[in-house]
Amino acid sequence: MTRTKEIRGFLTKNMVVILLLLMMLFMTVMNRNFLTLSNLTNIFIEMSTYGTITMAMTIAIICGEFDLSAGATYALCSVFFLKNLDTMGIFPAILVTVLIGAAVGFVNGFLVARLDIPAFVATLGSMTYVRGIALFYTDGQPVSNANQAIYQWGNGSFLGIPNLVLTFLLFVAITECFLRFTKSGREIYAVGGSRKIAELAGINAKKSKLLIFVILGIAAGIAGVMISCRMASGSAALLGLNTSMSAISAVVVGGTSLSGGSGSAVRSLIGLLVISVLFNALTLLGIGAYYQQLIRGLVVIIIVAIDVYMSLNKKD
Amino acid sequence: GGTDQTNSGADTQKTDEGNAQAQDKQGDTEQLNIFFATAFMTVPYAAPMNTAMEEYAKENNINLQMVDGEGDSQKQLDQIKNAVTQGVDGIIYWPADAASTIPVVNYLAECGVPYVVLNSKVDASVQDKVPAYVGLDYEMAGGISGDLALDYLKDGGNVVVVEGVMGTEAQIGYLKGFEDKIAQNDKIKVLAKQSAEWDTAKAMKIMEDYITTFGEEIDLVYSEDDGMYQGIAAALSDAGLSDKIKCVCNGQLQFVLDQIESGVLLGASSQDPSVEGRTGIEVMHKVIMGEEVPEWTKIDCRLITPDNVNEFNGW
Amino acid sequence: MESYALEMIDIVKNFPGVKALDNVTLKVKKGEVHAIIGENGAGKSTLMKVLNGVYQADSGSIRIEGQEVKIGNINTAKSLGISFVFQEINLVPTLSVVENFYLGELLKNKFHMIDWHTMTRNVKEALEKINFTLDPKRRVLELTVAEKQMIEIARAVSRNAKIIVMDEPTSSLSENEVEKLFAIIRTLREQGITIIYISHKLDEIFEICDAATVIRDGKTIETRRVKDYTEDLMIEQMVGRSVTMEFPQRTSKPGEVIFSAADICRKNKIYHVDLELRRGEVLGLAGLVGAGRTELCETIIGAEKMEAGEIRIFGKKTKISNTRQAKHNSIGMVTEERKETGLALDFSVKQNIVITNLPKVAWKGIWLNAGKEDRAAGEYIEELNIKTPGMNQKTMFLSGGNQQKVVIAKWLFSDVDILILDEPTRGIDVGAKFEIYQLINKLAEQGKAILMISSEMNEIIGMSDRIIVMHNGHKKGELEKDMISAENVMRLAVDTEEE
Amino acid sequence: MNKNKNKWLSLLCDYGLLVVLILIILIVSLLSKEFMTVDNMTNILRQSAVIGIMAIGVTVVILAGHIDLSIGSTVSLAGVIVMSFVNNYKMDWTGMILAILAGGLVGLVNGLIIAVINGRTCDSFIITFGMQTAVAAVALIYSGGKYMSGTGGGVHSLLGKGYLPIFFFLFFAVVLFLVMRYTPFGRTVYFMGANTKAAKMSGVNIKFYTTMLFVIAGVMASTASVILSSRVNAASPTSGKGYELDAIAAVVVGGTSLTGGKGGIFKTVLGVVIIGVLGNALNVMNVTTYPQMIIRGFIIIIAVVLDVSGNKLKNSGVN
Ligand SMILES: Nc1ncnc2c1ncn2[C@@H]1O[C@H](COP(=O)(O)OP(=O)(O)OP(=O)(O)O)[C@@H](O)[C@H]1O
Ligand SMILES: Nc1ncnc2c1ncn2[C@@H]1O[C@H](COP(=O)(O)OP(=O)(O)OP(=O)(O)O)[C@@H](O)[C@H]1O
Ligand SMILES: [Mg+2]
Ligand SMILES: [Mg+2]
C-alpha cells in the first residue's frame, strides 16, 4: 500500500526527468545520429543563450512573476553591443550592454514592485517599447560586426566544451546557489509563496521583486552579448521573438508552477533539456514543420496539465 | 557577375535532361539527401516554394528534409550543424537576415558540404565564399515597379509607400529600386512611407490612414508585396477610390493577376515562389552532381501587364 | 511604582470611515499573562498591528520598559524583543517548517551562505521543547491547521522575546494542544516573559491570564486582575449590556428525516460514515481538529469527490457531484474560513448575500433587478443585525463577526432546507455568538435541518439535539439528547482503539 | 463637502479614461485637421472592430481571473476555414458557421482542460499558450500554409464593408455588456473572479463556467476573424499572430484587472477605442513605425499605472 504510494509519488515528482530519459532512449534506438557528441553539443549550444534567460526567468517565476519583455531586451542588448563594440572596446561594451539590460529590468521592477502593476501588463508594455527602441536605434537593419576576438570566443571552446555552454552552465550553477544558499534567494521563495506573510516576517518584498527584474535584465544583457559573439550579428526585428515565452514554458515544463514559491534552476535545466531534445528529435525524425509545431503545443499542454492535476489533487 | 542566368517558370522543362543524367550518375538505389533550412516556414510565401521543391525531389528520387528556422538565425545555424552531423548531401539555406549569415557561411565553407543560398543574399563580407545563390534581384524588381510608376505619373504626382518588414533584403531592394527610378522625375513626390510588415490587415489600416491624411492628393500607391496589396485594394475599394488612386506592387499572387486583368492594378513585377523553390533545389542538385552553376541564378522577374497576364501562374 | 513591560498610551487609529482605535490605553506588567478581550471589531487585532508596525498610529505613544519607542515596521518590533502569533496563520505554504521558523532571519554560516544544518537542528530542539514532534523538513502545505498553529507558537516562543503577543492562538487547536500551549505559557511566565493573550474563549482567560483589558468600540473600558472579574462582568463590559443566558432555548421538536447519508467514503479521508438529519433539528458534529468533519461535509456537498456512498434527500436517492447540485437539492454549507471560501471580499455586502440565489432577485430569473436586490439584502441585514455602514460596503471592511453573518445570510437567502455550519462561531465575540445561536434556533424552528460542526465543547453540547462524534475519518458514535455530556463526547473523540 | 469630494474622486477614477480619451482627441484635432472628421472617426471604429470583438470576448475570461492566449491563433484558423469554403465551394454560410464553431471548439478544449485539471488562474496562461502553438499549427496544416485571397461576391465579402464591422463590434459589446452586468451569469463570473473558492462553495459549477468563458472568448475570436477576412478579402494561416496581445492590451488599458473580478465590457470598449485613436492619430501625424511602437508601449504602461493608482485612491477613499 505505502509502497505503491511511494512509487506513485516518485513518478509524479520526477515525471519530467523520466520523460526526458525515455525520449533519449527512444531516440538513441531510432536514430544513430542522436547520441553523438556533436549532436548533444549542438543541443547545449542552442540552449545556452535562451537558457541563460530561462535561469533568470526561473528566479522570477519562483517569486510569482514573469517577464514578457526579456526577448526584446535581449535583442536591444545584442544590437547595442554589436554597434558599440568597436568604439567602446570589448569589456566596456559588455559592461554597458549589461547595464542597459539591468536598466530595462529596473523599470519593469519599479512598475511591478513600487506601482503594483501586474507583471503581465508592465512587461507587455516594455516588450513593445523596448523592441521599438531597438528598431529605432538600428533603423530596423540587421547589424553585424566583424570583430574576430568576440567571434572566436563565441565559437570557441575550452577543454572541448564550447565557451557559450560553459557560460550557460556557470549561470545555472550560480542561479542554483543563489536560490539555495543566499538570503536574497530564499526571500524570493518566501515572497513568491506568500507576499503578505513574507512581509509580516520583515522581508522586503518590494526589494525582492525589483531584484528579480533586474536579474532578468542582466541575464538578457548577457545572453545578448553571448548571441552577438556567436553570430557576429543581430537583428532588432527578428532576435528573441519567442524567447520570453520559450523561457517561461521551459520553466513550467520543468515542473515549476507559475503560482510561485517553488522551483529550482536544476528543474528548469531539465525543462530546457526536455524541450530541446524534443525539438532535436522531431527534426532528426524528419517530422514536418507544421506537425512539429503541433506536437510542441500539445507537449506543453500535456506536461503542464498532468503536472497541475497531480499537484493539485495529490492530497490523498 | 557575367555568368548570370535567368530561369523562369515557362522553361523549367529544359533542365529535365540534366536530371536524367544525375539519376544515372547516382544509380537507382542511392537516394540523395537534401536539407532545406528555411528562414520562415510558416509564412504563406513558403508554402508554394516548399511544394515545388517537394515535387522536384519526388521526380528526382531525392530525400528532401525541410526545417523551420522561425526567423531565428541562431536556430538556423544549429539546424544546419545538425544536418551536417546527420550527413546530408547538400544544404539549401534561406537566411533569416543578411547580417546573421556570417557564422553559417563560415561553418558551411569549413565543413565541405555543398550548399546553395536561396531567396536572400548573405552578408557582403562572406559573399565570396558562397558557391551559388538563387534569388530574385529585388532591386531590379523594385525598378520594374518604379518604371511603371514613372510611366503612369508622367506629369508628376504623389506617391505613398507601404513597406515590408524593415531591414529584410526584400524591403531594402524593393524600396531602393523603386525610389531610384522615380527620382528621375522630380515632380513625383513621396508623401509617406510606413511599414505594414508584409501583413495584409496592417497594410489595410495604413492605407485607410493614408486616405484620411492625404485623401485624393495621392496619385499612386506602391506596395512592396502582393499580400499587402490585398489590404490596400480593400481599403481603396471601401473608400470608393479604386479608380482615382492607382497602385503598383511586386509579386504575382493570383489576386494580383486578377486585378491586373480587370485593370484595377496598373501592373506588378513578377515573383513566383514555385519557380524560386524549384530553381533552388535544381541548382542544389546540379552542385551535388558536380555541374557548373552560375554564382547568381536570378529568378525571372518581368513586368506583368494586362497584355501578358495570362503567361503567369498566380499562387 | 510597578514596572510595565509595555505601555500603549492613547493610541488612535483611523481607517477611512472607521475609527478603529479611539484613545486606547494598554498597560501590561512585566512577567504577566495579560488578556485583551472585546467584541469582534473592537480593535484588538488593530492594536496589536500598531504594536508590530504594520499600522502606524495616528497619535499616541508606545513605551517598552519605560522607554518611549517608535515602531516603524515589523523589524523594529522584532529588535525590541516582541514576537507575534497572529490571528491568521502566517506561514508560507510552499516552504519547509525550518524555513518558516526562520522566515526573514535566516542563519548564515561563515561564508555568508544559508546554514541549513544548524537551523534544522535548532528547529528540532525548539519543537521538542514544546513536546511537539514533526519532521522540520516537511512543507507547510502538507500540515494541518493545528500543526501550523503549533509551529507558529513554537516559533514565537523560540525567539527569546521579552513580550509575546498571541492573537487567538487556540482558535484551531484541540483541547490536547491547548493544554500543551498552556503548559508553555506557564513556563514562559516563570521565566519572566510577558504575554499578551487575545481570545474570545473566556474560560481560557480565567484559566491562564493574570490580568485582562476589555476593549469596546476602539476604547479601553477597564483593566483588572482576572481574579477580580466574573464572567458576567467581563461579558457585560465587552458588549456594553448584560448577557445572561449563553445558550438560548429551542422550542421545536425534530420532525421527519429529510436527509440521510449512508456509507460515505472518500479516499484516505472518510470511511463509511452514516448520518441522518431531521427537519427542525440541530445535529452536532464533534471531534478533535483534523477528525475529518470538514472533509465529510465537503464530500456531502460535492466539493470533493465521493468515492462511495449514497445520499437521500427527502427520501429520494440523489447524486451530488458538484456544489451546484447540492444547492439545487437544498443543501448549503457555511464554510469555516469565511475570508478564503465564504466571501468575495471585494464585493459588497449586498452582492455577497444575493449570490447564492441570483434568479430570485432577477426578472424571470434572467434579468437582475436592482430593487429586488436592495430589498433582499436590506431584509437580511436587518434580520441578522449585520453591522455595516450600508449594504454597498465592501465586505473586506467588516469585522469578523459581521462577515460571518453575511455568509450565513447568503445561505438563508438561497432557501436551502439543509444547512451545514462549519465552526459558525470561530473567532466571533460572545455578543455575536449569542445572536448566531438565536439565529440557529430560529432556523431550526422554521423547519430547517442543521448540521453544525464545532470544536467548542460548550457550544456543541449546548446547541445540539444529537451529536455525532468523529475520529480520524471514522464515525465513532452517536449521542442522543439524553446521552449528551462533555465526558461522553470527549471519550469518543479521543478514542483510538480498534478501527 | 468631504463626501462630495469622494464622490467626484470615485467618478474620476471610474471614468478617468474617458477624460483621457477626450483629451487625446482634442489635442490631435488641434494638430491635424484631417483627424476630426466623421469619416476618420468611423474609420477608427472600423479598424478597431476586429481587435475590439476579440477584446470583449477575452474580457469575459479575464473577469473570471483567467487569461486566453490562444485567441490570436483562433483568428488564423477561423480565417483559413472561412476563406477555403468561400473560395473553393462558394459556401459562405457554411464556411462562416464552421469557422465560428471552430473558435468555439478551441475555447471548449481550453476550457475543458483547465476545468478538468482544476487549473488555477495562472495555469490558464500556460495551457492557452500551448493551445496557441497547437492551433496555429492546425491552421497551417489545414491550409497547407497557403495564402488565400477571396474572390468576393458572396455574403461573406459583405460583412466587412461599410458600417457593418462597427455594427458587429457595438452589437457584441452591448450584448456582452448587458449579459455581464444584468444577468445572473455575468454576476457569477465576476464573483468567480473575485474569489473562485468562495464561488465554488456557494454552489457555482466552476467547471461549467470556466468552460463557458473560454467558449465565449473562442467564438468571439472566430467571429472577429470572419469579419477580418471579409474586410481584407484574404486570409493566411498566420494572420492572427500576435493579435491576442493586442486584444489583452486593450482590455488592460481599459482598466479591467488581470486578477479578475474588476472591470467590464464598457471599459474594454474604451480601451479599444483609445488604442485605436492613438494608432490612427500617430499614422495621421505621419509618425514612423518604430517611434509608434515606443509610444504604444508606454501608453499601455501609463494607462495601467493611472488605473491602479486611481483604484488605490478610491479604495482608501470609500466609506
Ligand atoms: N485595513 C482596514 N481598513 C479599514 N478598516 C479596518 C481595517 N482593518 C480593520 N478595520 C476595522 O477596524 C475595526 C477593528 O478591527 P480588528 O480587526 O482590530 O478587530 P478585532 O477586535 O481584532 O476583531 P476580531 O475579534 O473579529 O478579530 C473593525 O471595525 C474593522 O472593520
Ligand atoms: N490523523 C491525521 N494526521 C494528519 N492529518 C490528518 C489526520 N486526520 C486528518 N488530517 C488532516 O487534517 C486536515 C483537517 O481535516 P478536517 O478539516 O476534515 O478536520 P475537521 O475535523 O474539520 O477539523 P477542523 O476543526 O480543522 O475543521 C485534513 O487535511 C486532513 O487530511
Ligand atoms: Mg482580530
Ligand atoms: Mg474543519
Side-chain angles (χ1 to χ4, degrees):
Chain A
M1 175 63 205
T2 44
R3 188 69 179 280
T4 51
K5 218 165 138 188
E6 258 171 38
I7 294 173
R8 255 239 318 268
F10 177 83
L11 285 181
T12 37
K13 219 171 166 182
N14 299 298
M15 179 180 72
V16 203
V17 183
I18 296 165
L19 185 79
L20 178 64
L21 293 177
L22 281 179
M23 236 157 57
M24 293 183 70
L25 191 72
F26 175 76
M27 280 313 292
T28 313
V29 177
M30 287 298 290
N31 193 310
R32 70 193 152 80
N33 291 315
F34 178 75
L35 206 66
T36 57
L37 189 63
S38 66
N39 190 41
L40 296 182
T41 316
N42 278 346
I43 290 181
F44 267 96
I45 294 185
E46 192 192 345
M47 201 160 84
S48 58
T49 45
Y50 90 97
T52 302
I53 293 175
T54 305
M55 288 305 129
M57 197 67 86
T58 308
I59 301 176
I61 288 176
I62 288 172
C63 198
E65 304 289 349
F66 58 79
D67 183 358
L68 298 176
S69 70
T73 312
Y74 173 52
L76 174 65
C77 289
S78 168
V79 293
F80 178 86
F81 177 67
L82 288 162
K83 273 201 144 186
N84 294 280
L85 182 56
D86 297 330
T87 48
M88 284 184 180
I90 294 178
F91 289 103
I94 292 177
L95 188 73
V96 177
T97 305
V98 172
L99 280 179
I100 287 177
V104 173
F106 182 84
V107 173
N108 284 336
F110 183 82
L111 290 169
V112 174
R114 294 276 152 185
L115 302 182
D116 283 328
I117 310 296
F120 187 98
V121 188
T123 61
L124 178 67
S126 40
M127 173 180 105
T128 315
Y129 82 75
V130 170
R131 196 168 289 279
I133 290 175
L135 285 163
F136 188 66
Y137 181 61
T138 58
D139 199 19
Q141 311 293 321
V143 185
S144 66
N145 191 310
N147 188 312
Q148 279 305 305
I150 61 157
Y151 184 67
Q152 241 128 46
W153 183 83
N155 291 277
S157 55
F158 178 74
L159 300 176
I161 306 171
N163 291 333
L164 290 187
V165 177
L166 278 176
T167 314
F168 165 58
L169 292 178
L170 186 71
F171 214 82
V172 176
I174 291 174
T175 309
E176 186 70 22
C177 290
F178 170 75
L179 284 173
R180 209 184 266 250
F181 296 115
T182 69
K183 202 168 159 139
S184 308
R186 295 320 298 181
E187 286 181 356
I188 285 169
Y189 278 91
V191 173
S194 167
R195 176 177 182 165
K196 208 181 103 210
I197 295 171
E199 279 180 337
L200 274 176
I203 292 171
N204 188 342
K206 293 189 172 173
K207 202 187 84 191
S208 294
K209 299 241 162 186
L210 193 63
L211 179 67
I212 56 161
F213 282 102
V214 173
I215 293 177
L216 260 162
I218 290 175
I222 293 174
V225 171
M226 284 164 74
I227 186 95
S228 305
C229 292
R230 177 154 194 235
M231 304 303 293
S233 71
S235 156
L238 294 175
L239 199 61
L241 288 179
N242 307 319
T243 304
S244 303
M245 284 312 291
S246 304
I248 295 172
S249 19
V251 176
V252 177
V253 165
T256 301
S257 156
L258 281 181
S259 58
S262 63
S264 78
V266 173
R267 270 200 202 175
S268 296
L269 179 63
I270 293 168
L272 276 168
L273 277 170
V274 168
I275 290 184
S276 302
V277 169
L278 181 76
F279 277 167
N280 185 263
L282 291 174
T283 306
L284 286 185
L285 293 175
I287 309 268
Y290 303 165
Y291 289 94
Q292 281 205 18
Q293 192 177 333
L294 182 65
I295 294 172
R296 259 157 49 196
L298 294 180
V299 163
V300 169
I301 295 175
I302 292 168
I303 291 185
V304 174
I306 293 177
D307 202 48
V308 171
Y309 188 77
M310 293 294 195
S311 66
L312 291 187
N313 302 282
K314 72 163 180 221
K315 279 178 276 172
D316 36 56
Chain B
T3 47
D4 287 358
Q5 177 201 321
T6 298
N7 233 325
S8 78
D11 54 14
T12 35
Q13 300 98 318
K14 81 175 180 197
T15 47
D16 274 1
E17 278 168 59
N19 295 336
Q21 275 176 5
Q23 263 166 8
D24 284 350
K25 223 173 178 175
Q26 73 192 77
D28 289 331
T29 47
E30 194 67 16
Q31 224 189 7
L32 277 185
N33 285 308
I34 293 183
F35 185 85
F36 180 26
T38 62
F40 308 91
M41 194 174 234
T42 55
V43 299
Y45 187 80
M49 199 159 146
N50 298 343
T51 317
M53 275 198 189
E54 273 162 356
E55 268 168 25
Y56 181 92
K58 219 183 208 165
E59 288 161 20
N60 293 283
N61 191 29
I62 290 170
N63 174 27
L64 178 68
Q65 191 188 347
M66 296 192 271
V67 295
D68 186 4
E70 298 177 46
D72 181 342
S73 52
Q74 195 199 3
K75 191 171 222 144
Q76 287 200 288
L77 175 58
D78 293 309
Q79 285 168 339
I80 287 171
K81 282 190 171 180
N82 276 331
V84 172
T85 317
Q86 281 177 61
V88 293
D89 299 302
I91 293 172
I92 305 172
Y93 170 39
W94 167 7
D97 68 83
S100 66
T101 51
I102 302 168
V104 180
V105 173
N106 284 339
Y107 176 77
L108 282 169
E110 215 170 275
C111 74
V113 175
Y115 70 100
V116 168
V117 176
L118 183 65
N119 185 285
S120 308
K121 276 197 206 140
V122 298
D123 193 67
S125 65
V126 288
Q127 183 94 62
D128 49 333
K129 294 189 189 172
V130 176
Y133 170 57
V134 177
L136 193 75
D137 187 338
Y138 294 105
E139 210 175 310
M140 184 182 98
I144 291 175
S145 300
D147 273 331
L148 198 61
L150 210 52
D151 192 43
Y152 178 71
L153 300 175
K154 283 195 197 74
D155 306 326
N158 296 322
V159 178
V160 291
V161 183
V162 179
E163 299 196 75
V165 171
M166 303 291 277
T168 51
E169 165 146 32
Q171 177 265 325
I172 297 167
Y174 281 147
L175 185 69
K176 184 164 187 304
F178 183 83
E179 282 191 327
D180 283 355
K181 287 284 184 203
I182 58 168
Q184 293 171 14
N185 181 346
D186 50 16
K187 278 184 282 181
I188 300 179
K189 220 181 112 210
V190 174
L191 292 177
K193 290 182 273 189
Q194 290 273 0
S195 170
E197 300 167 12
W198 310 127
D199 183 274
T200 313
K202 281 195 186 118
M204 181 170 185
K205 176 171 166 27
I206 287 173
M207 191 61 228
E208 284 169 342
D209 291 343
Y210 278 159
I211 294 173
T212 302
T213 319
F214 306 111
E216 294 180 25
E217 273 176 58
I218 305 171
D219 298 299
L220 184 89
V221 186
Y222 174 45
S223 167
E224 283 182 6
D225 90 347
D226 37 8
M228 296 192 295
Y229 168 68
Q230 183 115 55
I232 294 168
L236 286 173
S237 99
D238 278 0
L241 290 169
S242 299
D243 298 332
K244 302 205 179 79
I245 302 179
K246 286 292 176 186
C247 306
V248 293
C249 79
N250 308 304
Q252 63 188 67
L253 201 61
Q254 185 58 45
F255 178 78
V256 164
L257 301 184
D258 294 345
Q259 294 258 304
I260 293 176
E261 196 164 12
S262 61
V264 181
L265 179 62
L266 286 180
S269 71
S270 70
Q271 182 182 8
D272 188 342
S274 338
V275 174
E276 186 173 324
R278 193 170 178 94
T279 315
I281 191 166
E282 212 170 77
V283 171
M284 180 78 256
H285 196 184
K286 283 185 189 163
V287 171
I288 298 173
M289 293 295 115
E291 286 173 48
E292 272 292 305
V293 293
E295 263 173 50
W296 183 353
T297 308
K298 284 192 185 173
I299 301 297
D300 176 47
C301 179
R302 289 181 290 155
L303 177 64
I304 314 174
T305 62
D307 302 330
N308 69 354
V309 69
N310 294 327
E311 295 168 29
F312 297 88
N313 295 320
W315 60 278
Chain C
M1 201 190 116
E2 277 182 287
S3 72
Y4 287 108
L6 169 73
E7 293 158 278
M8 298 180 80
I9 298 157
D10 290 337
I11 305 286
V12 175
K13 175 69 191 169
N14 284 302
F15 292 113
V18 183
K19 193 153 201 174
L21 298 176
D22 185 5
N23 284 311
V24 171
T25 296
L26 173 71
K27 294 187 174 184
V28 181
K29 284 181 195 143
K30 216 165 145 45
E32 74 177 359
V33 179
H34 192 109
I36 303 178
I37 49 181
E39 279 190 290
N40 288 122
K44 307 176 294 288
S45 298
T46 307
L47 186 66
M48 291 304 110
K49 283 178 180 164
V50 168
L51 179 62
N52 105 32
V54 171
Y55 294 146
Q56 303 302 310
D58 298 339
S59 69
S61 60
I62 301 174
R63 275 183 231 156
I64 291 185
E65 289 177 351
Q67 292 290 328
E68 176 131 5
V69 292
K70 277 261 161 307
I71 302 180
N73 60 45
I74 181 124
N75 284 329
T76 328
K78 268 189 200 169
S79 63
L80 289 168
I82 314 174
S83 71
F84 292 83
V85 177
F86 294 102
Q87 187 170 7
E88 304 92 23
I89 298 282
N90 281 301
L91 302 171
V92 181
T94 51
L95 298 182
S96 68
V97 172
V98 177
E99 194 154 2
N100 271 296
F101 228 84
Y102 284 96
L103 203 61
E105 46 197 34
L106 295 167
L107 299 184
K108 293 194 227 175
N109 60 20
K110 56 179 183 289
F111 306 111
H112 283 278
M113 295 283 142
I114 304 294
D115 190 349
W116 289 110
H117 186 73
T118 316
M119 287 196 302
T120 313
R121 208 183 49 217
N122 291 353
V123 171
K124 235 181 218 144
E125 280 167 13
L127 290 175
E128 270 162 23
K129 223 180 244 166
I130 64 164
N131 271 327
F132 192 69
T133 42
L134 188 86
D135 177 7
K137 283 188 181 137
R138 280 178 68 186
R139 292 215 289 176
V140 166
L141 57 91
E142 299 163 359
L143 306 181
T144 62
V145 189
E147 284 170 326
K148 289 181 201 167
Q149 189 66 278
M150 289 306 280
I151 290 167
E152 290 239 37
I153 292 164
R155 173 166 79 170
V157 170
S158 72
R159 287 225 166 106
N160 296 326
K162 287 184 291 189
I163 301 171
I164 301 178
V165 177
M166 300 184 177
D167 195 351
E168 299 193 36
T170 57
S171 62
S172 56
L173 295 187
S174 69
E175 310 260 328
N176 186 10
E177 286 144 339
V178 172
E179 274 316 309
K180 278 188 198 168
L181 174 64
F182 285 177
I184 299 164
I185 292 180
R186 289 192 188 98
T187 323
L188 292 171
R189 175 164 52 191
E190 275 156 29
Q191 292 166 1
I193 291 167
T194 312
I195 290 170
I196 296 174
Y197 190 90
I198 300 176
S199 179
H200 289 295
K201 299 180 184 169
L202 299 188
D203 48 342
E204 289 177 358
I205 311 276
F206 284 103
E207 184 175 346
I208 197 75
C209 298
D210 305 311
T213 297
V214 178
I215 294 179
R216 184 171 76 224
D217 295 336
K219 296 188 187 72
T220 313
I221 302 301
E222 198 185 359
T223 300
R224 283 198 194 189
R225 309 306 297 171
V226 166
K227 60 179 191 297
D228 301 335
Y229 261 122
T230 62
E231 193 157 321
D232 287 341
L233 179 60
M234 235 182 224
I235 293 173
E236 200 179 313
Q237 288 189 344
M238 278 162 71
V239 297
R241 59 182 185 273
S242 61
V243 179
T244 45
M245 193 167 42
E246 202 185 349
F247 295 101
Q249 287 306 307
R250 205 163 38 240
T251 52
S252 70
K253 285 276 162 277
E256 81 279 13
V257 174
I258 59 172
F259 173 90
S260 69
D263 203 27
I264 305 285
C265 290
R266 185 174 159 218
K267 211 168 171 193
N268 300 331
K269 302 263 174 163
I270 303 295
Y271 307 89
H272 314 287
V273 173
D274 300 325
L275 63 88
E276 272 184 352
L277 204 50
R278 292 165 198 281
R279 201 180 269 290
E281 91 170 333
V282 176
L283 173 61
L285 197 51
L288 301 179
V289 171
R293 297 162 297 173
T294 302
E295 306 267 352
L296 172 67
C297 295
E298 283 175 349
T299 313
I300 289 174
I301 63 158
E304 301 285 351
K305 197 169 156 28
M306 184 160 80
E307 250 197 329
E310 187 185 286
I311 287 175
R312 283 177 182 276
I313 293 167
F314 301 116
K316 219 177 89 208
K317 197 177 160 197
T318 313
K319 189 171 157 36
I320 295 176
S321 48
N322 60 46
T323 52
R324 198 188 75 96
Q325 288 171 356
K327 192 169 79 183
H328 278 231
N329 286 298
S330 220
I331 311 178
M333 175 164 170
V334 173
T335 54
E336 63 186 324
E337 285 167 277
R338 51 184 167 262
K339 285 185 183 168
E340 298 290 315
T341 53
L343 296 169
L345 293 171
D346 254 334
F347 268 40
S348 66
V349 174
K350 175 174 80 184
Q351 287 171 322
N352 269 296
I353 291 176
V354 298
I355 195 71
T356 47
N357 198 350
L358 289 168
K360 198 167 150 189
V361 289
W363 174 78
K364 298 225 185 280
I366 53 166
W367 200 256
L368 292 174
N369 179 323
K372 279 189 185 174
E373 277 188 62
D374 287 353
R375 250 171 284 135
E379 205 176 287
Y380 284 96
I381 289 173
E382 188 151 328
E383 190 178 333
L384 272 67
N385 194 16
I386 299 172
K387 279 181 216 135
T388 165
M391 64 176 77
N392 292 319
Q393 174 76 314
K394 288 188 179 178
T395 44
M396 71 166 106
F397 298 122
L398 298 191
S399 77
N402 285 307
Q403 286 178 341
Q404 185 71 2
K405 285 184 188 168
V406 174
V407 184
I408 295 177
K410 169 174 126 167
W411 280 110
L412 295 185
F413 181 68
S414 79
D415 288 331
V416 292
D417 289 313
I418 302 149
L419 194 57
I420 301 172
L421 303 172
D422 193 354
E423 311 279 7
T425 62
R426 172 182 287 180
I428 284 181
D429 67 67
V430 271
K433 255 184 197 169
F434 189 75
E435 288 180 50
I436 286 180
Y437 295 146
Q438 280 179 321
L439 195 65
I440 292 174
N441 285 347
K442 198 159 125 196
L443 296 173
E445 273 156 23
Q446 284 168 8
K448 293 200 193 299
I450 290 169
L451 179 60
M452 184 181 84
I453 301 177
S454 175
S455 297
E456 272 188 59
M457 190 62 81
N458 289 340
E459 178 172 296
I460 204 143
I461 290 175
M463 291 298 297
S464 310
D465 293 312
R466 230 166 5 114
I467 294 179
I468 287 178
V469 186
M470 289 188 66
H471 179 83
N472 255 344
H474 295 263
K475 176 175 165 182
K476 294 301 290 191
E478 198 166 324
L479 300 170
E480 292 296 333
K481 185 95 191 169
D482 48 349
M483 289 293 292
I484 293 177
S485 70
E487 297 75 49
N488 284 344
V489 172
M490 233 23 230
R491 194 168 39 76
L492 289 169
V494 300
D495 189 6
T496 46
E497 59 199 68
E498 36 151 353
E499 269 169 29
Chain D
M1 175 63 211
N2 197 18
K3 206 170 172 185
N4 253 337
K5 208 174 105 194
N6 275 343
K7 209 169 144 194
W8 277 110
L9 199 73
S10 124
L11 264 178
L12 192 73
C13 294
D14 276 344
Y15 297 102
L17 220 55
L18 204 57
V19 179
V20 173
L21 177 63
I22 292 168
L23 275 179
I24 296 177
I25 293 181
L26 280 179
I27 292 170
V28 182
S29 320
L30 290 180
L31 293 176
S32 157
K33 63 179 180 348
E34 292 86 10
F35 177 76
M36 198 58 204
T37 59
V38 178
D39 271 359
N40 192 42
M41 290 298 134
T42 50
N43 183 19
I44 293 172
L45 281 178
R46 203 181 299 129
Q47 289 172 348
S48 311
V50 170
I51 290 294
I53 293 172
M54 292 174 75
I56 55 178
V58 82
T59 303
V60 178
V61 171
I62 291 175
L63 280 175
H66 286 278
I67 198 143
D68 189 350
L69 296 179
S70 69
I71 51 175
S73 297
T74 304
V75 168
S76 306
L77 177 62
V80 292
I81 290 178
V82 68
M83 227 38 186
S84 67
F85 275 83
V86 169
N87 274 356
N88 302 344
Y89 316 111
K90 298 274 173 243
M91 298 201 296
D92 290 38
W93 284 108
T94 318
M96 291 191 302
I97 290 168
L98 283 180
I100 290 172
L101 286 181
L105 185 68
V106 173
L108 188 70
V109 174
N110 275 327
L112 281 179
I113 293 175
I114 292 163
V116 165
I117 64 171
N118 277 323
R120 293 150 301 182
T121 48
C122 64
D123 298 319
S124 63
F125 178 85
I126 199 81
I127 295 282
T128 58
F129 171 67
M131 267 316 258
Q132 176 190 61
T133 316
V135 172
V138 173
L140 284 164
I141 294 167
Y142 176 80
S143 64
K146 286 194 197 70
Y147 198 97
M148 298 181 185
S149 319
T151 42
V155 189
H156 172 248
S157 66
L158 296 178
L159 292 182
K161 294 287 170 298
Y163 292 101
L164 271 181
I166 304 177
F167 166 77
F168 283 120
F169 173 35
L170 295 182
F171 173 76
F172 289 123
V174 169
V175 169
L176 276 180
F177 173 79
L178 294 176
V179 167
M180 294 309 290
R181 175 158 276 184
Y182 293 109
T183 67
F185 175 87
R187 178 70 64 80
T188 310
V189 172
Y190 275 95
F191 200 80
M192 243 175 98
N195 186 344
T196 312
K197 283 186 196 158
K200 181 179 177 186
M201 297 311 280
S202 308
V204 176
N205 187 347
I206 298 290
K207 290 183 198 241
F208 171 77
Y209 267 82
T210 309
T211 313
M212 281 310 293
L213 299 172
F214 282 94
V215 170
I216 291 178
V219 167
M220 283 292 124
S222 50
T223 307
S225 171
V226 169
I227 291 167
L228 174 71
S229 56
S230 163
R231 237 170 90 68
V232 300
N233 192 23
S236 95
T238 52
S239 57
K241 204 172 175 187
Y243 277 29
E244 68 282 348
L245 293 183
D246 289 347
I248 294 169
V251 175
V252 294
V253 164
T256 293
S257 147
L258 285 178
T259 46
K262 272 178 275 180
I265 303 291
F266 179 69
K267 290 192 167 188
T268 295
V269 172
L270 261 181
V272 169
V273 172
I274 284 196
I275 289 189
V277 164
L278 255 162
N280 175 272
L282 293 172
N283 270 349
V284 169
M285 293 192 296
N286 220 346
V287 178
T288 51
T289 314
Y290 305 145
Q292 278 201 26
M293 276 177 86
I294 302 175
I295 294 171
R296 219 172 45 230
F298 281 117
I299 291 293
I300 294 173
I301 292 173
I302 291 168
V304 178
V305 168
L306 288 178
D307 189 56
V308 168
S309 37
N311 273 339
K312 262 191 211 161
L313 238 133
K314 210 174 100 183
N315 261 347
S316 64
V318 130
N319 180 345

